[in-house]
Amino acid sequence: MQIAKVRGTVVSTHKEPTLRGVKLLLVQFIDEEGQLLPKYEVAGDQVGAGLDEWVLISRGSAARQMEGSEKRPIDAMVVAIIDTVNVENRLLYSKKEQYR
Amino acid sequence: MQIAKVRGTVVSTHKEPTLRGVKLLLVQFIDEEGQLLPKYEVAGDQVGAGLDEWVLISRGSAARQMEGSEKRPIDAMVVAIIDTVNVENRLLYSKKEQYR
Amino acid sequence: MQIAKVRGTVVSTHKEPTLRGVKLLLVQFIDEEGQLLPKYEVAGDQVGAGLDEWVLISRGSAARQMEGSEKRPIDAMVVAIIDTVNVENRLLYSKKEQYR
Amino acid sequence: MQIAKVRGTVVSTHKEPTLRGVKLLLVQFIDEEGQLLPKYEVAGDQVGAGLDEWVLISRGSAARQMEGSEKRPIDAMVVAIIDTVNVENRLLYSKKEQYR
Amino acid sequence: MQIAKVRGTVVSTHKEPTLRGVKLLLVQFIDEEGQLLPKYEVAGDQVGAGLDEWVLISRGSAARQMEGSEKRPIDAMVVAIIDTVNVENRLLYSKKEQYR
């Protein structure tokens, strides 16, 4: 999985019928130093992530292993909202710290 | 999924029989600033996207999760025509604005 | 899918039994300007593509969605021989033009 | 599969229910000279790898081929803790040597 | 599929049980000129490839389409030992020539 930051949303009314009701988030990937990478993805979201939150993205067929999405043409999905990221026992990111 | 712009079409008469009747679009990927990337894909289209429209592309096995395509050797598919893309609450793209 | 040009062949006698009888083509990818990219693939071919022809390559599990290949360890397959590629209504490639 | 070094952990309480109980490791990929690459992955771990250990990572649908993970939205998994890596009969890495 | 050269081996005793008995080779990819690329993979081997041999690697779910490997968490597999590679009717590689 990859760590990404929620940067925005994508809206479409003219789409594959099975995508109706699926929220589409624009997320940007983050490197192991916590910096934004020039790489983004549009991911389905059933977890309810908010703008600027760090999330975990699963891609490929894994993205469909969520209740109700098994038959959806989705290749990227938010699977978790991240609380903390530790690198070599150093706290790289903490959701609480972001909102103090 | 990735955001892309419809740039053209690919036509083939000598092909895998199950691909008959599938429209093939040449799409070029767009970055998070809305600029064209030097990366393209040939995607199947069952949604009916037009030239220059921004679309959402699903790749891998997700591309087959569309009615009638489950057994087709397709690894990229247009799954939506995009209305708007918002980044940090700023409108990056709006289909309506394009055609005013 | 990706557009590629047939550049050569790969032959192997010592291989996974289910690959017997499968023709293996060396193809090189082409960018949206029609230029060869420094990226190639070895793809199975059940369509009968010839040297220098432009073809469409499907990769991943899509490559197995061809009659007889469902259980083969193949991750790239020629799925079509391309007749024309149009970009912004400009003819980028035409098979007929190549052989006039 | 890819060789990677365990660099840290990712913790999430607000996640896809099926991910509960799955340990998430932050791993960084290693090249064929044994140097860290600027590429990381978040991988599930059912093998019990420790910080700084070299591990083998499987990605894509292969990551779900582990007992209990078949239906989890996981696209990367630790599948082995590496004892030795030999390149051209030269010992590139030995777990024992690391802890002498 | 990709062409690669066998460069070494990876050994692990502490691993996912279904990987027991699977030989793991370190292979390095080769470009269309026959030069080594700075990209490697660890691949399962049921074909019996030797050091320095050119092999064909299948990745993704295709890597599991080998007898006994359907349920193994393997995402890359040696599927053939290459005899010859021809590019534009020029012999780029011949196994026999290597061992004359």
Side-chain angles (χ1 to χ4, degrees):
Chain A
M1 288 70 74
Q2 293 290 309
I3 299 174
K5 183 175 184 179
V6 178
R7 297 289 315 284
T9 55
V10 171
V11 172
S12 163
T13 46
H14 188 140
K15 58 195 170 187
E16 167 57 19
T18 57
L19 289 181
R20 274 186 212 124
V22 175
K23 192 172 180 195
L24 297 172
L25 297 182
L26 184 76
V27 300
Q28 195 158 355
F29 293 118
I30 287 176
D31 70 15
E32 71 286 0
E33 308 295 337
Q35 302 307 312
L36 280 175
L37 287 164
K39 260 182 71 180
Y40 77 94
E41 190 84 50
V42 176
D45 175 31
Q46 295 179 208
V47 173
L51 202 62
D52 292 334
E53 285 194 311
W54 283 29
V55 292
L56 210 54
I57 303 291
S58 261
R59 291 181 291 180
S61 57
R64 300 200 302 278
Q65 308 304 316
M66 309 265 285
E67 198 169 335
S69 281
E70 295 81 357
K71 297 274 180 203
R72 287 191 172 128
I74 287 183
D75 65 11
M77 192 72 106
V78 174
V79 296
I81 297 171
I82 293 175
D83 295 321
T84 60
V85 178
N86 274 283
V87 179
E88 309 261 329
N89 297 321
R90 179 176 55 86
L91 188 65
L92 178 72
Y93 167 82
S94 157
K95 187 178 167 182
K96 273 182 232 144
E97 304 284 318
Q98 299 287 316
Y99 299 108
R100 197 178 287 172
Chain B
M1 287 71 74
Q2 292 291 308
I3 298 174
K5 184 175 184 177
V6 179
R7 296 289 316 282
T9 55
V10 172
V11 172
S12 164
T13 46
H14 189 140
K15 58 194 170 187
E16 167 57 20
T18 57
L19 289 181
R20 275 186 211 121
V22 175
K23 192 171 178 194
L24 297 171
L25 298 182
L26 185 76
V27 300
Q28 195 158 355
F29 293 118
I30 287 176
D31 71 15
E32 70 286 1
E33 307 296 337
Q35 303 306 314
L36 280 175
L37 287 163
K39 260 181 73 182
Y40 77 93
E41 189 83 50
V42 176
D45 175 32
Q46 296 181 206
V47 173
L51 202 61
D52 292 335
E53 284 194 311
W54 283 28
V55 291
L56 210 54
I57 303 291
S58 261
R59 291 181 291 181
S61 57
R64 299 200 302 278
Q65 308 303 318
M66 310 265 284
E67 199 168 334
S69 282
E70 294 82 358
K71 296 275 180 202
R72 286 191 173 129
I74 288 183
D75 65 11
M77 192 73 103
V78 173
V79 296
I81 297 171
I82 293 175
D83 294 321
T84 61
V85 179
N86 275 283
V87 178
E88 309 262 328
N89 297 321
R90 180 176 54 87
L91 187 65
L92 179 72
Y93 167 82
S94 157
K95 186 178 166 183
K96 272 182 233 143
E97 303 285 317
Q98 299 287 318
Y99 299 108
R100 197 179 287 170
Chain C
M1 287 71 72
Q2 293 290 310
I3 298 175
K5 184 176 184 177
V6 179
R7 297 288 316 283
T9 55
V10 171
V11 172
S12 164
T13 46
H14 189 139
K15 58 194 170 188
E16 166 58 18
T18 57
L19 290 181
R20 275 186 210 123
V22 175
K23 192 172 178 193
L24 298 171
L25 297 181
L26 184 76
V27 300
Q28 194 158 356
F29 293 118
I30 287 176
D31 71 15
E32 70 286 1
E33 308 296 337
Q35 303 305 314
L36 280 175
L37 287 164
K39 260 182 72 182
Y40 77 93
E41 190 83 50
V42 177
D45 176 32
Q46 295 180 207
V47 173
L51 203 60
D52 292 334
E53 285 193 311
W54 283 29
V55 291
L56 209 54
I57 303 290
S58 261
R59 291 181 291 180
S61 58
R64 300 200 302 277
Q65 308 303 316
M66 311 266 284
E67 198 167 336
S69 282
E70 295 81 358
K71 296 275 179 202
R72 287 191 172 128
I74 288 184
D75 66 11
M77 192 73 103
V78 173
V79 296
I81 297 171
I82 293 175
D83 293 322
T84 60
V85 178
N86 275 283
V87 179
E88 309 261 327
N89 297 321
R90 180 175 54 88
L91 187 65
L92 179 72
Y93 166 82
S94 158
K95 188 177 165 182
K96 273 183 232 143
E97 304 284 318
Q98 299 288 317
Y99 299 107
R100 197 177 286 172
Chain D
M1 288 71 74
Q2 293 291 308
I3 298 174
K5 184 175 183 178
V6 179
R7 297 288 316 283
T9 55
V10 171
V11 172
S12 163
T13 46
H14 189 142
K15 57 195 169 187
E16 167 56 20
T18 57
L19 288 181
R20 274 184 211 123
V22 175
K23 191 172 180 196
L24 297 171
L25 297 181
L26 184 76
V27 300
Q28 194 158 356
F29 293 117
I30 287 175
D31 71 15
E32 72 285 359
E33 308 295 337
Q35 302 305 312
L36 280 175
L37 288 164
K39 261 183 71 182
Y40 77 95
E41 189 84 52
V42 177
D45 176 31
Q46 295 181 209
V47 173
L51 203 61
D52 292 335
E53 285 194 312
W54 284 28
V55 292
L56 210 54
I57 303 291
S58 261
R59 292 181 291 180
S61 57
R64 299 201 302 276
Q65 307 304 317
M66 310 265 284
E67 198 168 335
S69 282
E70 295 81 358
K71 296 275 179 201
R72 287 190 172 129
I74 288 182
D75 65 12
M77 192 73 104
V78 174
V79 296
I81 298 172
I82 292 175
D83 294 321
T84 60
V85 179
N86 275 282
V87 179
E88 309 261 328
N89 297 320
R90 180 176 53 87
L91 188 65
L92 179 71
Y93 167 82
S94 157
K95 185 177 168 185
K96 271 182 234 144
E97 303 284 318
Q98 300 287 315
Y99 298 108
R100 197 179 286 173
Chain E
M1 286 71 73
Q2 292 290 309
I3 298 175
K5 183 175 183 178
V6 179
R7 297 288 317 282
T9 55
V10 171
V11 172
S12 163
T13 46
H14 190 140
K15 57 196 170 188
E16 167 55 21
T18 57
L19 289 181
R20 275 186 210 123
V22 176
K23 192 171 179 196
L24 297 171
L25 297 181
L26 184 76
V27 300
Q28 194 158 356
F29 292 118
I30 287 176
D31 71 15
E32 71 286 359
E33 308 295 338
Q35 303 306 312
L36 280 175
L37 287 164
K39 261 182 73 182
Y40 77 93
E41 189 85 49
V42 176
D45 176 32
Q46 294 179 209
V47 173
L51 202 61
D52 293 334
E53 285 194 311
W54 283 28
V55 292
L56 210 53
I57 303 290
S58 260
R59 291 181 291 180
S61 58
R64 300 200 302 278
Q65 308 303 317
M66 310 266 284
E67 197 168 337
S69 282
E70 295 81 358
K71 296 275 179 202
R72 286 191 174 129
I74 287 182
D75 65 10
M77 192 73 103
V78 173
V79 295
I81 297 171
I82 293 176
D83 294 321
T84 59
V85 179
N86 274 282
V87 179
E88 309 262 326
N89 297 320
R90 179 177 53 87
L91 188 64
L92 178 72
Y93 167 82
S94 157
K95 186 178 167 183
K96 272 182 232 140
E97 303 284 318
Q98 300 286 318
Y99 299 108
R100 196 177 285 172

